Amino acid sequence: CVVSALSDRICDGRAQTQDLCVKYGKKVLKQGTDYTVIYRNNTNVGVASAKVQGTGRYSGSVLKTFKIYPAAPVVKKIKAKKKGFTLKWKSDPTQVSGYTLQYARTAAFHSGVKSVKIRKAWEVKKTVSRLKAKKTYYVRICAWKTIGSLTLRSAWSALWECCRPRASTIWLFHSGMVLTMVDWIFSARS
């Protein structure tokens, strides 16, 4: 019996299942008739298992595992500070161990990347200071969970761009909408 088509999942608070492909030789078996699937640890971030148990004309079992990753944090607000900013985000603290905030001078994050590790799951605000004035910075954040020696990381949040323009009027932007006048410009980038 060969079991394939497993893929990793993202935690959304619901039990995660798989659209399995189960074959015996060249024959594709039918779930409910030829086999059943028993899942374990398939709701929270971590390593889940799917046990395929033969039924009817088929016997034996195959155990497969897949990973469930944390959902990416959602940036809620950026508050400007002189030569810095405070980032606020939303995440499920029961499904993470902490966060990694990154900022860089280029959107590609190839060089000059600065990382700030936040080791408390319930902490959803971080201030970054001592940035250079009149320079553009790009900001993103991800969540991670450590289980024993395994660390599972989420995807990065939406990319934010912040800069101080030369003009005297300075505004805060989010998804192309003007929100308020502040010391820096912030805009979400997909």
Side-chain angles (χ1 to χ4, degrees):
C1 180
V2 177
V3 179
S4 59
L6 272 84
S7 60
D8 292 333
R9 295 286 192 256
I10 296 173
C11 182
D12 63 4
R14 297 176 292 183
Q16 302 296 316
T17 58
Q18 298 280 338
D19 294 321
L20 299 174
C21 177
V22 181
K23 289 185 177 181
Y24 184 78
K26 293 184 178 180
K27 182 179 180 181
V28 177
L29 304 185
K30 185 177 180 182
Q31 185 173 351
T33 302
D34 302 319
Y35 69 90
T36 59
V37 184
I38 301 170
Y39 292 95
R40 292 191 185 280
N41 304 319
N42 63 323
T43 301
N44 298 320
V45 172
V47 179
S49 65
K51 183 180 180 181
V52 178
Q53 178 71 53
T55 60
R57 297 174 54 205
Y58 301 93
S59 62
S61 63
V62 176
L63 185 66
K64 293 287 186 177
T65 61
F66 59 96
K67 296 183 179 81
I68 301 176
Y69 288 87
V74 177
V75 175
K76 302 300 287 184
K77 184 179 180 182
I78 294 182
K79 184 176 181 180
K81 297 177 69 67
K82 188 174 182 180
K83 295 186 180 180
F85 59 87
T86 297
L87 181 71
K88 292 184 180 181
W89 62 92
K90 182 179 179 182
S91 185
D92 183 352
T94 66
Q95 299 296 331
V96 303
S97 301
Y99 310 91
T100 300
L101 184 153
Q102 285 189 341
Y103 58 97
R105 295 285 309 283
T106 63
F109 282 80
H110 287 317
S111 62
V113 178
K114 303 293 184 183
S115 295
V116 179
K117 202 160 192 176
I118 300 137
R119 299 180 185 275
K120 296 177 181 177
W122 49 265
E123 188 173 349
V124 291
K125 179 175 79 169
K126 187 67 180 177
T127 298
V128 174
S129 57
R130 298 181 182 178
L131 300 182
K132 291 182 180 180
K134 299 182 181 179
K135 301 295 181 181
T136 299
Y137 288 89
Y138 299 86
V139 183
R140 63 186 183 181
I141 187 169
C142 76
W144 48 269
K145 179 156 186 152
T146 301
I147 304 166
S149 61
L150 177 67
T151 299
L152 299 170
R153 298 181 187 279
S154 75
W156 290 105
S157 68
L159 184 63
W160 286 74
E161 176 183 350
C162 55
C163 65
R164 181 163 187 149
R166 295 179 182 174
S168 58
T169 304
I170 303 167
W171 301 90
L172 174 65
F173 290 87
H174 182 269
S175 300
M177 297 174 56
V178 178
L179 300 178
T180 184
M181 189 164 73
V182 293
D183 292 329
W184 294 67
I185 281 183
F186 295 93
S187 60
R189 295 167 60 96
S190 299

